Every structure is written in C-alpha cells, then in structure tokens.
Amino acid sequence: GNIYTGTVLPQEKYHPGKVSFRNVACGGDYITRVCQRLNGTDKNVTVLRPYMYKDMFTPRPDMALVVLGANDTKVSSESGYRKPMVPPDEQEKNYRFLIEALRNRGVKKIVLCSSLSFDAERMKKVADVAKAAGKPHNLFAVDEKIRDFNAVIGRLAAEYKLDVIDLYNVSRAYPDKPTLFVDGVHLSDKGQLLMIRQL
C-alpha cells in the first residue's frame, strides 16, 4: 500500500484541509501480522515492515477501515488444503486485540469489511499447476473458509457495535466476477470501482 507524507495529500486537492487518508496496507498481510505490527512489543516475533505503522496515530485518525481476508483464508497444500492461514479462533482473538487497540488510541469509528468472494476457478487452476509440478503452494478463494472469516467479522461487529461493509455478497453476485480481478485475487480497475462504491 501507499503512505502519503507531507503537508498536502493528493486527495486534498479538491477538498483542502477537510479530509486526509492514510493507507497502511502491506502486501501479503493477514490479521496476525497487523496485530504484531501494532503491538510491536514481542521481542520473540520478527515483525514484517514495522515502519509501515510509524506515526500512524499522529494525528489521531477519526476512522479506521479494516480490509483483510484473502491471505487470512488461504489454505496450503501442506495442510491438505484444510487449515486456513488464520483459523477462526485465532482470527477472533486478533480482531479483538485490534479493535481494542484502536479504541484505546482514541479512534472514534472502526469499520470492518467482509472478505471479497474471489475467482475460485482461476485460483484452483493456479494451484493445480503448482501441484502438478510438485511444488508446495497456497490455494486462495476457498469459499467455505471465506464464509467462516466473514462470520467472525459479523459477530464481532455486532458485539462491538461496529459498521460492517459487505464486500462478499456484492462480489459474489457480480455478473462477470472474473473481471473484478487481475489474477483471481487482486482487484482490477473494475473491482476497485465496485469496492469503492460499496465503501
């Protein structure tokens, strides 16, 4: 993701001084890495790209928008495609930590997003190529794991009285779903526009 620095952010061009946005997304992230980076106190854990959260709360954000899911729900060939990267119980524990950490730092509004429904057919073909070559690999877009992930999001949003944005059903029902993604997981321009409209 991009981090904008300086006094004038690109999105302030049309509404100067009224809004600013900071993207602290890191490629390959899942909720466990987010919490490790936010916590930063466990010396036994190597935190991936800790600098991404530097000064994240200066100035204090009014809102945090949490968008995860693709990496959390992927399954590895080494687990027989059974165990997601972040199982639901671990997901719940980490999301609780994240929500409470954001609230403790004065973030007034936290918005959770469900995981998208990805292009499972394309992702299966990619995994099949790696499988045929005898290489360990991950399989993305396993609908059962995505639904489990989204169930946790829904429960926590209800418990903590947070807004939740449904990216799953809108992407799942899209008439030409493969066009939403450049590779089955990462959003195309069309997919980004769909997501923006939902937000």
Side-chain angles (χ1 to χ4, degrees):
N2 297 315
I3 292 183
Y4 297 109
T5 57
T7 55
V8 179
L9 304 180
Q11 59 273 25
E12 291 185 347
K13 178 177 177 183
Y14 299 106
H15 303 283
K18 294 183 180 175
V19 66
S20 64
F21 174 82
R22 182 173 177 193
N23 180 2
V24 294
C26 296
D29 254 3
Y30 41 90
I31 185 62
T32 310
R33 283 184 174 170
V34 169
C35 291
Q36 288 168 348
R37 196 176 298 116
L38 192 58
N39 189 10
T41 58
D42 188 344
K43 302 304 177 196
N44 298 318
V45 175
T46 301
V47 177
L48 179 71
R49 289 177 276 193
Y51 56 84
M52 291 296 288
Y53 286 9
K54 185 177 186 308
D55 300 325
M56 187 166 76
F57 297 100
T58 307
R60 184 178 63 230
D62 296 309
M63 182 192 308
L65 180 65
V66 183
V67 186
L68 293 163
N71 294 306
D72 304 72
T73 59
K74 69 183 178 185
V75 292
S76 73
S77 59
E78 294 169 325
S79 77
Y81 308 109
R82 288 187 301 273
K83 184 181 176 189
M85 183 71 179
V86 183
D89 58 337
E90 189 178 334
Q91 176 199 357
E92 181 168 339
K93 178 185 75 173
N94 279 279
Y95 263 90
R96 286 185 187 282
F97 172 84
L98 175 62
I99 291 164
E100 289 166 16
L102 292 172
R103 283 187 167 174
N104 288 340
R105 287 167 169 86
V107 178
K108 296 174 192 164
K109 187 173 184 69
I110 302 165
V111 180
L112 305 181
C113 293
S114 70
S115 175
L116 290 144
S117 173
F118 303 101
D119 185 351
E121 187 176 325
R122 182 164 182 184
M123 296 287 61
K124 175 87 169 50
K125 287 178 183 175
V126 170
D128 285 345
V129 169
K131 184 177 182 179
K135 297 178 180 176
H137 57 278
N138 292 312
L139 173 62
F140 291 84
V142 178
D143 199 58
E144 174 194 355
K145 306 305 181 191
I146 293 170
R147 288 195 312 264
D148 290 346
F149 177 91
N150 289 340
V152 172
I153 295 295
R155 279 200 314 273
L156 291 175
E159 179 183 333
Y160 284 94
K161 296 181 174 43
L162 306 177
D163 288 338
V164 64
I165 296 174
D166 181 9
L167 300 177
Y168 175 78
N169 286 305
V170 71
S171 56
R172 185 170 184 260
Y174 196 79
D176 192 9
K177 184 164 81 169
T179 65
L180 297 177
F181 307 98
V182 294
D183 57 4
V185 175
H186 296 96
L187 291 170
S188 64
D189 289 348
K190 186 184 285 188
Q192 290 180 34
L193 182 59
L194 183 75
M195 184 173 177
I196 288 165
R197 285 177 173 156
Q198 284 299 104
L199 300 183

